Amino acid sequence: MWYRMRVSAPLARDLSRWFAREARELPWRETRDPYRIWVSEVMLQQTRVETVLAYYDPFVARFPSLADLAAAPLDAVLEQWSGLGYYRRARLLHRGAQYVAEQLGGRLPEAAQALQEIPGIGPYTAGALASIAFDRPEPLVDGNVARVRSRLCALEDPRQQPATAKGHWSWVRELLEAGEPRVLSQALMELGATVCTPRSPSCEACPVSRHCEARAIDAVERIPAPKVKKASPEFHFDAVALRWGERILLERRPDEGLLAGLWCLPLRATKSKRAPSAASLAKHFDVEPAAAKPRVLAPIKHVFTHRVWHLRPVELRLARRPKAGAQRAWIEAGERPEGGVPSVTNKLLAALGF
Ligand code: SF4
C-alpha cells in the first residue's frame, strides 16, 4: 500500500501519459483480439520487434483466428514460422491453440492462472495476455521489466536473489492496479525497450525519471548488476549435401530437440580440420559416391541461444540414388520442401548454390 500511495499512482500516471503520446505504432497494438495478441507475444519472445514485424502480418493473414491455427497442420505452421527461429514456440503455440479449441470451446480464459493451463503459456505470457487483452491487473515480468523496476527502486542485488524476482511481480501488480492494466503493462515494456535500455539508458528523455531512485543516487550504470555469462558450447559438423543429378537431399530432424521437425542437411559430427574423404562420407551415410573427392566449402558459423554450430558444407555426388523416405526430400536449386526450413539450412543451401 505504501508503494501505491508513494510511488505507484504518480508513476502510473506519468507512464500512461507518456505511452499515449509516444507508443510505437505496431500492428498487434491495433487489435483487441486475444488470439492475435497471443501470437504477437509468442513471436516477441527473445526476438526483436523489427524482426517480428516481418512475420506477424503474414502469420495472422494465413491463420486469422485461433480456430484456423488449431485446424492447420503443424507443417503449415512451421512453414509460416520459417526464419523467425526458436521453432519450439511455433509448435507450442499450435498445440496451445488446439488445446483451447478442443478443451475450452475456442475461447481464451481471462485469468492468468487459467491461461497457464494452456500448453506453452508460462507466467510471462499469461500476464501479458491477461493484462493487454483482458485489462486485468495481472503482472508480467521479463528482463526488460525487471531492469526498469530494479532501477526505479535502486535495487542493488548483484546475486539476483529469488526474493528480488518475486518482488518484481508484486511491484508490477501494484503498478497495474494503479491505472489501466492494458496501458501500463505495455508502457512498462515499451519503456524498457526504448528508453531504459540495458546500456546507456536515455534518462534525460525518461518520462518517469523523477520517480527513479537509481538516478537519484547516481547508480544507473551499475543497476542491474551484469549477469555472469557462461560460454556457449561449440559443436562442429560436416553439413553434407548428398547430390543425385541436379538434386540434393534434405532430412527432417527428429521431433524432439533443437530444430525439431525442420528440414536440414544431413549432419555428421567432426573433430577434424581436414576435409572429409568421399569414402568416409559414403560409409557414414551408406551411399555410393560418384567422385573420389567431395566439394568442400568454407565453414559457416551459426549461433543459437545456448550453443554454437560450426558447419562445413560438403557436397558429395552420388553414383546411385539412395532410398526415399517420408523424412527425406530431394530438392533442386531454389526449391524448398513443405514445412519449416530454418535459416541455418537456407544459409547452407545458399553457400552450395541451392
Ligand atoms: Fe531508466 Fe533512467 Fe528512466 Fe531511471 S531515469 S527509469 S534509469 S531511463
Side-chain angles (χ1 to χ4, degrees), residues 46-58:
Q46 293 180 291
T47 309
R48 293 161 57 84
V49 164
E50 294 72 24
T51 308
V52 172
L53 280 172
Y55 289 86
Y56 173 81
D57 279 337

Side-chain angles (χ1 to χ4, degrees), residues 3 36 91 103 115 158 172 177 193 203 278 305:
Y3 265 130
R36 291 185 178 215
R91 301 171 82 88
Q103 309 288 329
L115 284 161
V172 175
E177 283 170 353
C203 300
T305 326

